[in-house]
PDB file of all heavy atoms in Angstrom:
ATOM      1  N   SER A   1     -87.377  92.616  34.168  1.00 47.00           N
ATOM      2  CA  SER A   1     -88.502  92.687  35.101  1.00 47.00           C
ATOM      3  C   SER A   1     -88.674  94.097  35.637  1.00 47.00           C
ATOM      4  O   SER A   1     -89.790  94.607  35.746  1.00 47.00           O
ATOM      5  CB  SER A   1     -88.287  91.709  36.255  1.00 47.00           C
ATOM      6  OG  SER A   1     -88.218  90.390  35.783  1.00 47.00           O
ATOM      7  N   MET A   2     -87.550  94.747  35.971  1.00 50.00           N
ATOM      8  CA  MET A   2     -87.623  96.109  36.491  1.00 50.00           C
ATOM      9  C   MET A   2     -88.158  97.065  35.444  1.00 50.00           C
ATOM     10  O   MET A   2     -88.981  97.945  35.740  1.00 50.00           O
ATOM     11  CB  MET A   2     -86.233  96.560  36.952  1.00 50.00           C
ATOM     12  CG  MET A   2     -86.214  97.958  37.569  1.00 50.00           C
ATOM     13  SD  MET A   2     -87.280  98.064  39.041  1.00 50.00           S
ATOM     14  CE  MET A   2     -86.359  97.006  40.162  1.00 50.00           C
ATOM     15  N   ILE A   3     -87.716  96.907  34.206  1.00 46.00           N
ATOM     16  CA  ILE A   3     -88.201  97.770  33.129  1.00 46.00           C
ATOM     17  C   ILE A   3     -89.706  97.588  32.931  1.00 46.00           C
ATOM     18  O   ILE A   3     -90.457  98.556  32.761  1.00 46.00           O
ATOM     19  CB  ILE A   3     -87.442  97.474  31.817  1.00 46.00           C
ATOM     20  CG1 ILE A   3     -85.981  97.922  31.941  1.00 46.00           C
ATOM     21  CG2 ILE A   3     -88.109  98.188  30.639  1.00 46.00           C
ATOM     22  CD1 ILE A   3     -85.115  97.496  30.766  1.00 46.00           C
ATOM     23  N   LEU A   4     -90.174  96.339  32.984  1.00 43.00           N
ATOM     24  CA  LEU A   4     -91.610  96.074  32.831  1.00 43.00           C
ATOM     25  C   LEU A   4     -92.412  96.713  33.955  1.00 43.00           C
ATOM     26  O   LEU A   4     -93.473  97.302  33.720  1.00 43.00           O
ATOM     27  CB  LEU A   4     -91.859  94.568  32.788  1.00 43.00           C
ATOM     28  CG  LEU A   4     -91.429  93.841  31.512  1.00 43.00           C
ATOM     29  CD1 LEU A   4     -91.591  92.344  31.690  1.00 43.00           C
ATOM     30  CD2 LEU A   4     -92.235  94.339  30.319  1.00 43.00           C
ATOM     31  N   ILE A   5     -91.908  96.617  35.189  1.00 47.00           N
ATOM     32  CA  ILE A   5     -92.608  97.203  36.333  1.00 47.00           C
ATOM     33  C   ILE A   5     -92.698  98.710  36.185  1.00 47.00           C
ATOM     34  O   ILE A   5     -93.759  99.318  36.364  1.00 47.00           O
ATOM     35  CB  ILE A   5     -91.901  96.827  37.645  1.00 47.00           C
ATOM     36  CG1 ILE A   5     -92.071  95.327  37.921  1.00 47.00           C
ATOM     37  CG2 ILE A   5     -92.455  97.647  38.809  1.00 47.00           C
ATOM     38  CD1 ILE A   5     -91.269  94.833  39.103  1.00 47.00           C
ATOM     39  N   LEU A   6     -91.565  99.345  35.835  1.00 45.00           N
ATOM     40  CA  LEU A   6     -91.550 100.800  35.688  1.00 45.00           C
ATOM     41  C   LEU A   6     -92.428 101.255  34.532  1.00 45.00           C
ATOM     42  O   LEU A   6     -93.017 102.338  34.575  1.00 45.00           O
ATOM     43  CB  LEU A   6     -90.112 101.297  35.481  1.00 45.00           C
ATOM     44  CG  LEU A   6     -89.169 101.125  36.681  1.00 45.00           C
ATOM     45  CD1 LEU A   6     -87.761 101.553  36.306  1.00 45.00           C
ATOM     46  CD2 LEU A   6     -89.672 101.918  37.876  1.00 45.00           C
ATOM     47  N   THR A   7     -92.537 100.417  33.508  1.00 43.00           N
ATOM     48  CA  THR A   7     -93.366 100.767  32.357  1.00 43.00           C
ATOM     49  C   THR A   7     -94.848 100.642  32.667  1.00 43.00           C
ATOM     50  O   THR A   7     -95.668 101.471  32.260  1.00 43.00           O
ATOM     51  CB  THR A   7     -93.011  99.871  31.162  1.00 43.00           C
ATOM     52  OG1 THR A   7     -91.619 100.022  30.855  1.00 43.00           O
ATOM     53  CG2 THR A   7     -93.834 100.252  29.939  1.00 43.00           C
ATOM     54  N   LEU A   8     -95.207  99.584  33.394  1.00 42.00           N
ATOM     55  CA  LEU A   8     -96.612  99.311  33.653  1.00 42.00           C
ATOM     56  C   LEU A   8     -97.169 100.028  34.871  1.00 42.00           C
ATOM     57  O   LEU A   8     -98.377 100.191  34.991  1.00 42.00           O
ATOM     58  CB  LEU A   8     -96.808  97.797  33.841  1.00 42.00           C
ATOM     59  CG  LEU A   8     -96.527  96.931  32.614  1.00 42.00           C
ATOM     60  CD1 LEU A   8     -96.637  95.456  32.985  1.00 42.00           C
ATOM     61  CD2 LEU A   8     -97.490  97.266  31.481  1.00 42.00           C
ATOM     62  N   LEU A   9     -96.298 100.472  35.800  1.00 49.00           N
ATOM     63  CA  LEU A   9     -96.773 101.066  37.052  1.00 49.00           C
ATOM     64  C   LEU A   9     -97.699 102.249  36.842  1.00 49.00           C
ATOM     65  O   LEU A   9     -98.762 102.327  37.461  1.00 49.00           O
ATOM     66  CB  LEU A   9     -95.581 101.451  37.933  1.00 49.00           C
ATOM     67  CG  LEU A   9     -95.935 102.017  39.310  1.00 49.00           C
ATOM     68  CD1 LEU A   9     -96.741 100.983  40.108  1.00 49.00           C
ATOM     69  CD2 LEU A   9     -94.672 102.411  40.074  1.00 49.00           C
ATOM     70  N   PRO A  10     -97.354 103.240  35.972  1.00 48.00           N
ATOM     71  CA  PRO A  10     -98.283 104.371  35.795  1.00 48.00           C
ATOM     72  C   PRO A  10     -99.670 103.936  35.351  1.00 48.00           C
ATOM     73  O   PRO A  10    -100.684 104.420  35.863  1.00 48.00           O
ATOM     74  CB  PRO A  10     -97.575 105.224  34.736  1.00 48.00           C
ATOM     75  CG  PRO A  10     -96.130 104.878  34.864  1.00 48.00           C
ATOM     76  CD  PRO A  10     -96.117 103.407  35.196  1.00 48.00           C
ATOM     77  N   SER A  11     -99.740 102.993  34.383  1.00 44.00           N
ATOM     78  CA  SER A  11    -101.064 102.555  33.919  1.00 44.00           C
ATOM     79  C   SER A  11    -101.797 101.790  35.001  1.00 44.00           C
ATOM     80  O   SER A  11    -103.026 101.847  35.099  1.00 44.00           O
ATOM     81  CB  SER A  11    -100.922 101.701  32.661  1.00 44.00           C
ATOM     82  OG  SER A  11    -100.142 100.549  32.932  1.00 44.00           O
ATOM     83  N   MET A  12    -101.039 101.029  35.846  1.00 47.00           N
ATOM     84  CA  MET A  12    -101.679 100.317  36.952  1.00 47.00           C
ATOM     85  C   MET A  12    -102.317 101.296  37.914  1.00 47.00           C
ATOM     86  O   MET A  12    -103.444 101.122  38.366  1.00 47.00           O
ATOM     87  CB  MET A  12    -100.649  99.463  37.682  1.00 47.00           C
ATOM     88  CG  MET A  12    -100.166  98.254  36.890  1.00 47.00           C
ATOM     89  SD  MET A  12     -98.755  97.466  37.677  1.00 47.00           S
ATOM     90  CE  MET A  12     -99.468  96.995  39.244  1.00 47.00           C
ATOM     91  N   LEU A  13    -101.593 102.374  38.236  1.00 49.00           N
ATOM     92  CA  LEU A  13    -102.108 103.347  39.203  1.00 49.00           C
ATOM     93  C   LEU A  13    -103.307 104.092  38.641  1.00 49.00           C
ATOM     94  O   LEU A  13    -104.227 104.454  39.377  1.00 49.00           O
ATOM     95  CB  LEU A  13    -101.012 104.333  39.585  1.00 49.00           C
ATOM     96  CG  LEU A  13     -99.846 103.756  40.397  1.00 49.00           C
ATOM     97  CD1 LEU A  13     -98.817 104.841  40.672  1.00 49.00           C
ATOM     98  CD2 LEU A  13    -100.324 103.121  41.693  1.00 49.00           C
ATOM     99  N   LEU A  14    -103.305 104.351  37.320  1.00 49.00           N
ATOM    100  CA  LEU A  14    -104.386 105.111  36.715  1.00 49.00           C
ATOM    101  C   LEU A  14    -105.641 104.276  36.513  1.00 49.00           C
ATOM    102  O   LEU A  14    -106.714 104.801  36.313  1.00 49.00           O
ATOM    103  CB  LEU A  14    -103.932 105.688  35.369  1.00 49.00           C
ATOM    104  CG  LEU A  14    -102.834 106.759  35.436  1.00 49.00           C
ATOM    105  CD1 LEU A  14    -102.458 107.190  34.030  1.00 49.00           C
ATOM    106  CD2 LEU A  14    -103.284 107.951  36.267  1.00 49.00           C
ATOM    107  N   SER A  15    -105.514 102.964  36.557  1.00 46.00           N
ATOM    108  CA  SER A  15    -106.664 102.124  36.229  1.00 46.00           C
ATOM    109  C   SER A  15    -107.269 101.435  37.444  1.00 46.00           C
ATOM    110  O   SER A  15    -108.180 100.641  37.300  1.00 46.00           O
ATOM    111  CB  SER A  15    -106.241 101.063  35.204  1.00 46.00           C
ATOM    112  OG  SER A  15    -105.260 100.198  35.770  1.00 46.00           O
ATOM    113  N   GLN A  16    -106.743 101.712  38.634  1.00 62.00           N
ATOM    114  CA  GLN A  16    -107.253 101.010  39.798  1.00 62.00           C
ATOM    115  C   GLN A  16    -108.639 101.510  40.185  1.00 62.00           C
ATOM    116  O   GLN A  16    -109.022 102.646  39.893  1.00 62.00           O
ATOM    117  CB  GLN A  16    -106.290 101.164  40.975  1.00 62.00           C
ATOM    118  CG  GLN A  16    -104.931 100.505  40.751  1.00 62.00           C
ATOM    119  CD  GLN A  16    -105.063  99.054  40.379  1.00 62.00           C
ATOM    120  OE1 GLN A  16    -105.885  98.341  40.935  1.00 62.00           O
ATOM    121  NE2 GLN A  16    -104.265  98.611  39.418  1.00 62.00           N
ATOM    122  N   GLU A  17    -109.368 100.659  40.883  1.00 80.00           N
ATOM    123  CA  GLU A  17    -110.731 100.967  41.298  1.00 80.00           C
ATOM    124  C   GLU A  17    -110.759 102.147  42.259  1.00 80.00           C
ATOM    125  O   GLU A  17    -109.888 102.306  43.109  1.00 80.00           O
ATOM    126  CB  GLU A  17    -111.333  99.741  41.976  1.00 80.00           C
ATOM    127  CG  GLU A  17    -112.775  99.903  42.371  1.00 80.00           C
ATOM    128  CD  GLU A  17    -113.336  98.624  42.959  1.00 80.00           C
ATOM    129  OE1 GLU A  17    -113.202  98.445  44.173  1.00 80.00           O
ATOM    130  OE2 GLU A  17    -113.882  97.819  42.191  1.00 80.00           O
ATOM    131  N   ARG A  18    -111.771 102.966  42.125  1.00 90.00           N
ATOM    132  CA  ARG A  18    -111.958 104.121  43.003  1.00 90.00           C
ATOM    133  C   ARG A  18    -113.327 104.031  43.646  1.00 90.00           C
ATOM    134  O   ARG A  18    -114.241 103.401  43.116  1.00 90.00           O
ATOM    135  CB  ARG A  18    -111.838 105.425  42.216  1.00 90.00           C
ATOM    136  CG  ARG A  18    -110.520 105.614  41.523  1.00 90.00           C
ATOM    137  CD  ARG A  18    -110.431 107.021  40.993  1.00 90.00           C
ATOM    138  NE  ARG A  18    -110.517 107.960  42.086  1.00 90.00           N
ATOM    139  CZ  ARG A  18    -109.566 108.864  42.363  1.00 90.00           C
ATOM    140  NH1 ARG A  18    -108.480 108.916  41.640  1.00 90.00           N
ATOM    141  NH2 ARG A  18    -109.715 109.702  43.359  1.00 90.00           N
ATOM    142  N   SER A  19    -113.458 104.703  44.776  1.00 93.00           N
ATOM    143  CA  SER A  19    -114.767 104.803  45.418  1.00 93.00           C
ATOM    144  C   SER A  19    -114.949 106.215  45.945  1.00 93.00           C
ATOM    145  O   SER A  19    -113.976 106.898  46.288  1.00 93.00           O
ATOM    146  CB  SER A  19    -114.916 103.783  46.548  1.00 93.00           C
ATOM    147  OG  SER A  19    -113.947 103.989  47.556  1.00 93.00           O
ATOM    148  N   TYR A  20    -116.197 106.651  45.996  1.00 96.00           N
ATOM    149  CA  TYR A  20    -116.570 107.963  46.498  1.00 96.00           C
ATOM    150  C   TYR A  20    -117.699 107.769  47.505  1.00 96.00           C
ATOM    151  O   TYR A  20    -118.550 106.891  47.330  1.00 96.00           O
ATOM    152  CB  TYR A  20    -117.046 108.881  45.368  1.00 96.00           C
ATOM    153  CG  TYR A  20    -115.983 109.175  44.333  1.00 96.00           C
ATOM    154  CD1 TYR A  20    -115.782 108.304  43.262  1.00 96.00           C
ATOM    155  CD2 TYR A  20    -115.187 110.298  44.437  1.00 96.00           C
ATOM    156  CE1 TYR A  20    -114.809 108.559  42.317  1.00 96.00           C
ATOM    157  CE2 TYR A  20    -114.213 110.573  43.488  1.00 96.00           C
ATOM    158  CZ  TYR A  20    -114.028 109.700  42.438  1.00 96.00           C
ATOM    159  OH  TYR A  20    -113.045 109.954  41.504  1.00 96.00           O
ATOM    160  N   GLY A  21    -117.690 108.583  48.554  1.00 97.00           N
ATOM    161  CA  GLY A  21    -118.734 108.392  49.542  1.00 97.00           C
ATOM    162  C   GLY A  21    -118.908 109.564  50.477  1.00 97.00           C
ATOM    163  O   GLY A  21    -118.222 110.596  50.370  1.00 97.00           O
ATOM    164  N   ILE A  22    -119.827 109.381  51.387  1.00 98.00           N
ATOM    165  CA  ILE A  22    -120.135 110.380  52.405  1.00 98.00           C
ATOM    166  C   ILE A  22    -120.330 109.653  53.734  1.00 98.00           C
ATOM    167  O   ILE A  22    -120.837 108.519  53.757  1.00 98.00           O
ATOM    168  CB  ILE A  22    -121.397 111.193  52.026  1.00 98.00           C
ATOM    169  CG1 ILE A  22    -121.644 112.308  53.040  1.00 98.00           C
ATOM    170  CG2 ILE A  22    -122.619 110.291  51.863  1.00 98.00           C
ATOM    171  CD1 ILE A  22    -122.740 113.285  52.613  1.00 98.00           C
ATOM    172  N   LYS A  23    -119.908 110.273  54.815  1.00 98.00           N
ATOM    173  CA  LYS A  23    -120.112 109.695  56.138  1.00 98.00           C
ATOM    174  C   LYS A  23    -120.239 110.815  57.154  1.00 98.00           C
ATOM    175  O   LYS A  23    -119.814 111.954  56.926  1.00 98.00           O
ATOM    176  CB  LYS A  23    -118.964 108.743  56.514  1.00 98.00           C
ATOM    177  CG  LYS A  23    -117.596 109.388  56.497  1.00 98.00           C
ATOM    178  CD  LYS A  23    -116.498 108.345  56.657  1.00 98.00           C
ATOM    179  CE  LYS A  23    -115.119 108.956  56.423  1.00 98.00           C
ATOM    180  NZ  LYS A  23    -114.034 107.955  56.485  1.00 98.00           N
ATOM    181  N   GLY A  24    -120.824 110.490  58.277  1.00 98.00           N
ATOM    182  CA  GLY A  24    -120.988 111.467  59.342  1.00 98.00           C
ATOM    183  C   GLY A  24    -121.128 110.754  60.667  1.00 98.00           C
ATOM    184  O   GLY A  24    -121.293 109.532  60.721  1.00 98.00           O
ATOM    185  N   GLY A  25    -121.067 111.524  61.739  1.00 98.00           N
ATOM    186  CA  GLY A  25    -121.188 110.899  63.049  1.00 98.00           C
ATOM    187  C   GLY A  25    -120.890 111.839  64.187  1.00 98.00           C
ATOM    188  O   GLY A  25    -121.089 113.053  64.084  1.00 98.00           O
ATOM    189  N   TRP A  26    -120.387 111.263  65.244  1.00 97.00           N
ATOM    190  CA  TRP A  26    -120.244 111.907  66.542  1.00 97.00           C
ATOM    191  C   TRP A  26    -118.779 112.203  66.807  1.00 97.00           C
ATOM    192  O   TRP A  26    -117.916 111.370  66.553  1.00 97.00           O
ATOM    193  CB  TRP A  26    -120.802 110.970  67.605  1.00 97.00           C
ATOM    194  CG  TRP A  26    -121.081 111.569  68.944  1.00 97.00           C
ATOM    195  CD1 TRP A  26    -120.442 111.297  70.114  1.00 97.00           C
ATOM    196  CD2 TRP A  26    -122.093 112.527  69.272  1.00 97.00           C
ATOM    197  NE1 TRP A  26    -120.994 112.013  71.153  1.00 97.00           N
ATOM    198  CE2 TRP A  26    -122.010 112.786  70.653  1.00 97.00           C
ATOM    199  CE3 TRP A  26    -123.061 113.193  68.517  1.00 97.00           C
ATOM    200  CZ2 TRP A  26    -122.861 113.678  71.300  1.00 97.00           C
ATOM    201  CZ3 TRP A  26    -123.913 114.090  69.164  1.00 97.00           C
ATOM    202  CH2 TRP A  26    -123.805 114.308  70.536  1.00 97.00           C
ATOM    203  N   SER A  27    -118.480 113.393  67.338  1.00 97.00           N
ATOM    204  CA  SER A  27    -117.108 113.739  67.679  1.00 97.00           C
ATOM    205  C   SER A  27    -117.012 114.075  69.168  1.00 97.00           C
ATOM    206  O   SER A  27    -117.927 114.659  69.750  1.00 97.00           O
ATOM    207  CB  SER A  27    -116.607 114.917  66.843  1.00 97.00           C
ATOM    208  OG  SER A  27    -117.264 116.116  67.207  1.00 97.00           O
ATOM    209  N   ILE A  28    -115.892 113.681  69.755  1.00 98.00           N
ATOM    210  CA  ILE A  28    -115.573 113.969  71.159  1.00 98.00           C
ATOM    211  C   ILE A  28    -114.221 114.666  71.159  1.00 98.00           C
ATOM    212  O   ILE A  28    -113.211 114.063  70.767  1.00 98.00           O
ATOM    213  CB  ILE A  28    -115.508 112.674  71.989  1.00 98.00           C
ATOM    214  CG1 ILE A  28    -116.794 111.873  71.845  1.00 98.00           C
ATOM    215  CG2 ILE A  28    -115.228 112.983  73.453  1.00 98.00           C
ATOM    216  CD1 ILE A  28    -116.693 110.456  72.394  1.00 98.00           C
ATOM    217  N   SER A  29    -114.178 115.919  71.563  1.00 98.00           N
ATOM    218  CA  SER A  29    -112.934 116.677  71.455  1.00 98.00           C
ATOM    219  C   SER A  29    -112.528 117.281  72.791  1.00 98.00           C
ATOM    220  O   SER A  29    -113.327 117.399  73.726  1.00 98.00           O
ATOM    221  CB  SER A  29    -113.064 117.780  70.400  1.00 98.00           C
ATOM    222  OG  SER A  29    -114.025 118.743  70.790  1.00 98.00           O
ATOM    223  N   ASN A  30    -111.248 117.689  72.837  1.00 98.00           N
ATOM    224  CA  ASN A  30    -110.684 118.307  74.027  1.00 98.00           C
ATOM    225  C   ASN A  30    -109.384 118.989  73.616  1.00 98.00           C
ATOM    226  O   ASN A  30    -109.016 118.984  72.444  1.00 98.00           O
ATOM    227  CB  ASN A  30    -110.451 117.262  75.124  1.00 98.00           C
ATOM    228  CG  ASN A  30    -110.594 117.831  76.526  1.00 98.00           C
ATOM    229  OD1 ASN A  30    -110.003 118.861  76.852  1.00 98.00           O
ATOM    230  ND2 ASN A  30    -111.384 117.161  77.354  1.00 98.00           N
ATOM    231  N   PHE A  31    -108.686 119.570  74.581  1.00 97.00           N
ATOM    232  CA  PHE A  31    -107.384 120.181  74.332  1.00 97.00           C
ATOM    233  C   PHE A  31    -106.293 119.344  74.979  1.00 97.00           C
ATOM    234  O   PHE A  31    -106.521 118.642  75.975  1.00 97.00           O
ATOM    235  CB  PHE A  31    -107.323 121.595  74.919  1.00 97.00           C
ATOM    236  CG  PHE A  31    -108.244 122.589  74.260  1.00 97.00           C
ATOM    237  CD1 PHE A  31    -108.938 123.527  75.021  1.00 97.00           C
ATOM    238  CD2 PHE A  31    -108.417 122.605  72.885  1.00 97.00           C
ATOM    239  CE1 PHE A  31    -109.773 124.448  74.426  1.00 97.00           C
ATOM    240  CE2 PHE A  31    -109.254 123.519  72.279  1.00 97.00           C
ATOM    241  CZ  PHE A  31    -109.941 124.450  73.049  1.00 97.00           C
ATOM    242  N   TRP A  32    -105.093 119.431  74.395  1.00 96.00           N
ATOM    243  CA  TRP A  32    -103.929 118.825  75.009  1.00 96.00           C
ATOM    244  C   TRP A  32    -102.752 119.799  74.858  1.00 96.00           C
ATOM    245  O   TRP A  32    -102.842 120.795  74.156  1.00 96.00           O
ATOM    246  CB  TRP A  32    -103.591 117.469  74.369  1.00 96.00           C
ATOM    247  CG  TRP A  32    -102.893 117.568  73.033  1.00 96.00           C
ATOM    248  CD1 TRP A  32    -103.469 117.784  71.808  1.00 96.00           C
ATOM    249  CD2 TRP A  32    -101.490 117.477  72.813  1.00 96.00           C
ATOM    250  NE1 TRP A  32    -102.531 117.834  70.834  1.00 96.00           N
ATOM    251  CE2 TRP A  32    -101.295 117.639  71.408  1.00 96.00           C
ATOM    252  CE3 TRP A  32    -100.383 117.272  73.632  1.00 96.00           C
ATOM    253  CZ2 TRP A  32    -100.015 117.602  70.827  1.00 96.00           C
ATOM    254  CZ3 TRP A  32     -99.121 117.228  73.048  1.00 96.00           C
ATOM    255  CH2 TRP A  32     -98.946 117.394  71.671  1.00 96.00           C
ATOM    256  N   GLY A  33    -101.647 119.491  75.527  1.00 95.00           N
ATOM    257  CA  GLY A  33    -100.472 120.353  75.453  1.00 95.00           C
ATOM    258  C   GLY A  33    -100.136 120.946  76.807  1.00 95.00           C
ATOM    259  O   GLY A  33    -100.982 121.003  77.715  1.00 95.00           O
ATOM    260  N   ASP A  34     -98.908 121.411  76.939  1.00 92.00           N
ATOM    261  CA  ASP A  34     -98.442 121.968  78.214  1.00 92.00           C
ATOM    262  C   ASP A  34     -99.277 123.156  78.671  1.00 92.00           C
ATOM    263  O   ASP A  34     -99.461 123.374  79.872  1.00 92.00           O
ATOM    264  CB  ASP A  34     -96.975 122.384  78.091  1.00 92.00           C
ATOM    265  CG  ASP A  34     -96.040 121.199  77.870  1.00 92.00           C
ATOM    266  OD1 ASP A  34     -96.443 120.076  78.222  1.00 92.00           O
ATOM    267  OD2 ASP A  34     -94.932 121.403  77.335  1.00 92.00           O
ATOM    268  N   GLY A  35     -99.788 123.934  77.713  1.00 94.00           N
ATOM    269  CA  GLY A  35    -100.560 125.119  78.088  1.00 94.00           C
ATOM    270  C   GLY A  35    -101.941 124.807  78.609  1.00 94.00           C
ATOM    271  O   GLY A  35    -102.564 125.652  79.277  1.00 94.00           O
ATOM    272  N   THR A  36    -102.452 123.614  78.335  1.00 94.00           N
ATOM    273  CA  THR A  36    -103.804 123.258  78.765  1.00 94.00           C
ATOM    274  C   THR A  36    -103.919 123.256  80.289  1.00 94.00           C
ATOM    275  O   THR A  36    -104.904 123.751  80.852  1.00 94.00           O
ATOM    276  CB  THR A  36    -104.188 121.880  78.209  1.00 94.00           C
ATOM    277  OG1 THR A  36    -104.077 121.910  76.789  1.00 94.00           O
ATOM    278  CG2 THR A  36    -105.613 121.527  78.585  1.00 94.00           C
ATOM    279  N   GLU A  37    -102.913 122.705  80.961  1.00 93.00           N
ATOM    280  CA  GLU A  37    -102.935 122.676  82.422  1.00 93.00           C
ATOM    281  C   GLU A  37    -102.872 124.087  83.002  1.00 93.00           C
ATOM    282  O   GLU A  37    -103.518 124.383  84.018  1.00 93.00           O
ATOM    283  CB  GLU A  37    -101.764 121.838  82.942  1.00 93.00           C
ATOM    284  CG  GLU A  37    -101.837 121.499  84.411  1.00 93.00           C
ATOM    285  CD  GLU A  37    -103.025 120.618  84.756  1.00 93.00           C
ATOM    286  OE1 GLU A  37    -103.468 119.849  83.880  1.00 93.00           O
ATOM    287  OE2 GLU A  37    -103.517 120.713  85.900  1.00 93.00           O
ATOM    288  N   ASP A  38    -102.125 124.983  82.344  1.00 93.00           N
ATOM    289  CA  ASP A  38    -102.053 126.375  82.802  1.00 93.00           C
ATOM    290  C   ASP A  38    -103.421 127.042  82.715  1.00 93.00           C
ATOM    291  O   ASP A  38    -103.826 127.779  83.627  1.00 93.00           O
ATOM    292  CB  ASP A  38    -101.037 127.157  81.960  1.00 93.00           C
ATOM    293  CG  ASP A  38     -99.615 126.641  82.132  1.00 93.00           C
ATOM    294  OD1 ASP A  38     -99.328 126.025  83.191  1.00 93.00           O
ATOM    295  OD2 ASP A  38     -98.796 126.866  81.226  1.00 93.00           O
ATOM    296  N   VAL A  39    -104.150 126.793  81.620  1.00 93.00           N
ATOM    297  CA  VAL A  39    -105.489 127.364  81.456  1.00 93.00           C
ATOM    298  C   VAL A  39    -106.429 126.830  82.530  1.00 93.00           C
ATOM    299  O   VAL A  39    -107.172 127.594  83.170  1.00 93.00           O
ATOM    300  CB  VAL A  39    -106.040 127.049  80.050  1.00 93.00           C
ATOM    301  CG1 VAL A  39    -107.511 127.459  79.942  1.00 93.00           C
ATOM    302  CG2 VAL A  39    -105.221 127.759  78.980  1.00 93.00           C
ATOM    303  N   ASN A  40    -106.406 125.518  82.757  1.00 91.00           N
ATOM    304  CA  ASN A  40    -107.283 124.925  83.768  1.00 91.00           C
ATOM    305  C   ASN A  40    -106.979 125.468  85.159  1.00 91.00           C
ATOM    306  O   ASN A  40    -107.895 125.748  85.946  1.00 91.00           O
ATOM    307  CB  ASN A  40    -107.129 123.402  83.761  1.00 91.00           C
ATOM    308  CG  ASN A  40    -107.659 122.776  82.494  1.00 91.00           C
ATOM    309  OD1 ASN A  40    -108.571 123.296  81.855  1.00 91.00           O
ATOM    310  ND2 ASN A  40    -107.073 121.645  82.111  1.00 91.00           N
ATOM    311  N   ASN A  41    -105.704 125.610  85.486  1.00 90.00           N
ATOM    312  CA  ASN A  41    -105.322 126.138  86.800  1.00 90.00           C
ATOM    313  C   ASN A  41    -105.789 127.569  86.975  1.00 90.00           C
ATOM    314  O   ASN A  41    -106.254 127.963  88.052  1.00 90.00           O
ATOM    315  CB  ASN A  41    -103.814 126.047  86.989  1.00 90.00           C
ATOM    316  CG  ASN A  41    -103.329 124.612  87.156  1.00 90.00           C
ATOM    317  OD1 ASN A  41    -104.097 123.734  87.536  1.00 90.00           O
ATOM    318  ND2 ASN A  41    -102.063 124.365  86.873  1.00 90.00           N
ATOM    319  N   ALA A  42    -105.663 128.393  85.919  1.00 90.00           N
ATOM    320  CA  ALA A  42    -106.101 129.786  86.005  1.00 90.00           C
ATOM    321  C   ALA A  42    -107.612 129.864  86.208  1.00 90.00           C
ATOM    322  O   ALA A  42    -108.099 130.658  87.027  1.00 90.00           O
ATOM    323  CB  ALA A  42    -105.698 130.535  84.737  1.00 90.00           C
TER     324      ALA A  42
END
């Protein structure tokens, strides 16, 4: 069973379904870290 799995695994990975796409949207960003509080205080 192990030999069969090791033999078939590469072909399984090469033959699996793939998808391609595009997406976009909205981002909300900020800073974090110990230095962020120092910047805000200054």
Side-chain angles (χ1 to χ4, degrees):
S1 298
M2 182 60 68
I3 292 172
L4 288 173
I5 291 173
L6 293 176
T7 302
L8 295 175
L9 183 60
S11 61
M12 289 170 61
L13 292 179
L14 293 178
S15 63
Q16 295 306 319
E17 184 176 88
R18 301 190 61 122
S19 61
Y20 297 86
I22 185 171
K23 58 189 171 184
W26 196 247
S27 69
I28 305 168
S29 65
N30 211 310
F31 294 140
W32 78 279
D34 294 338
T36 303
E37 192 64 28
D38 295 336
V39 172
N40 292 331
N41 290 338

